[in-house]
Amino acid sequence: MSNITSIIKKYKLSIIFVLITILIVSIVLILPKKSSVLIVPSPSPSVTPTAPPVPKGEWGSIDVLIKDIGKPISQEDTATKSGQYKYNSSTLNRKNEVVYQDNVPVFYKEIVTNGSNKTSKSIQQKYGSAEIRLYGSESDIGFYLYAYPSKGIAYVGSIYDDIVTEVWYFSPTDLNSFMATWAKDYSLQPQQGGF
């Protein structure tokens, strides 16, 4: 017994240090952890349209559009008062786009994310079957451009999975004009590597 007492006296500080360390480690492991939250400043809010823009002539000038849906986050202008505005969308990676010519909006691309009420079925219920299915870079994974040129709307999505990733609004036109103007990256036939 005296042997144990002498050992305790000799290593008193070391024993206290070990006991305190064990106590601290135990407390840290037992207490519920607070979730660390990384606060990332969000981009300044931009107003996204609640309804799709209407065809050319009914939008008015680009100034009217800005008044309706807010200021763009970026803008590409040319001397002819034609260009493109980009707006925040519900995803950080992709932006809504408005193309304008002679200071008049002529094309609007809306980015659609999961959870949206815009599905291929809802678009088909409103507009019927697509007038044409076009093939693009995402065709190999089942996403096509379903276009209704005569109605001024098209969407990128999968009718099989009921998914829509983009909705395009433009002035009603014929297929050839639509493809030459808005769907330059799409074709009537599957592209190499696609379906």
Side-chain angles (χ1 to χ4, degrees):
M1 191 70 157
S2 65
N3 194 13
I4 294 176
T5 308
S6 66
I7 292 174
I8 291 176
K9 285 182 183 179
K10 184 176 179 182
Y11 297 105
K12 181 178 180 180
L13 287 176
S14 298
I15 293 173
I16 290 174
F17 176 75
V18 169
L19 289 175
I20 289 175
T21 303
I22 291 173
L23 180 66
I24 290 172
V25 169
S26 299
I27 290 173
V28 168
L29 292 176
I30 293 174
L31 289 178
K33 294 183 181 180
K34 294 181 182 179
S35 62
S36 61
V37 176
L38 176 63
I39 299 175
V40 177
S42 61
S44 61
S46 69
V47 181
T48 53
T50 55
V54 292
K56 181 178 179 179
E58 297 177 35
W59 280 339
S61 71
I62 197 68
D63 296 330
V64 172
L65 183 67
I66 290 171
K67 182 181 174 189
D68 289 344
I69 65 175
K71 290 188 89 169
I73 57 171
S74 70
Q75 166 180 346
E76 298 171 13
D77 287 327
T78 66
T80 61
K81 296 185 180 180
S82 297
Q84 180 180 56
Y85 284 178
K86 293 193 180 202
Y87 292 83
N88 284 326
S89 69
S90 52
T91 178
L92 294 175
N93 300 332
R94 302 178 67 209
K95 305 297 180 210
N96 293 328
E97 298 174 17
V98 175
V99 175
Y100 60 99
Q101 295 170 348
D102 297 322
N103 208 31
V104 175
V106 294
F107 178 83
Y108 173 64
K109 181 195 295 183
E110 177 186 16
I111 303 303
V112 179
T113 56
N114 289 343
S116 169
N117 61 354
K118 291 184 179 157
T119 64
S120 57
K121 287 180 185 170
S122 68
I123 293 172
Q124 287 176 359
Q125 287 173 349
K126 185 171 184 175
Y127 296 98
S129 294
E131 295 168 20
I132 189 78
R133 177 172 84 170
L134 299 174
Y135 298 84
S137 62
E138 295 179 329
S139 297
D140 58 342
I141 59 170
F143 285 78
Y144 304 93
L145 176 61
Y146 295 94
Y148 305 77
S150 68
K151 297 176 182 173
I153 187 168
Y155 69 93
V156 176
S158 168
I159 60 171
Y160 308 108
D161 297 322
D162 200 25
I163 296 173
V164 172
T165 59
E166 298 175 0
V167 179
W168 300 3
Y169 305 96
F170 49 90
S171 297
T173 187
D174 61 72
L175 175 62
N176 291 333
S177 296
F178 170 74
M179 289 188 68
T181 307
W182 306 120
K184 293 176 185 172
D185 295 333
Y186 292 84
S187 66
L188 294 168
Q189 300 297 321
Q191 296 176 356
Q192 187 174 6
F195 284 100

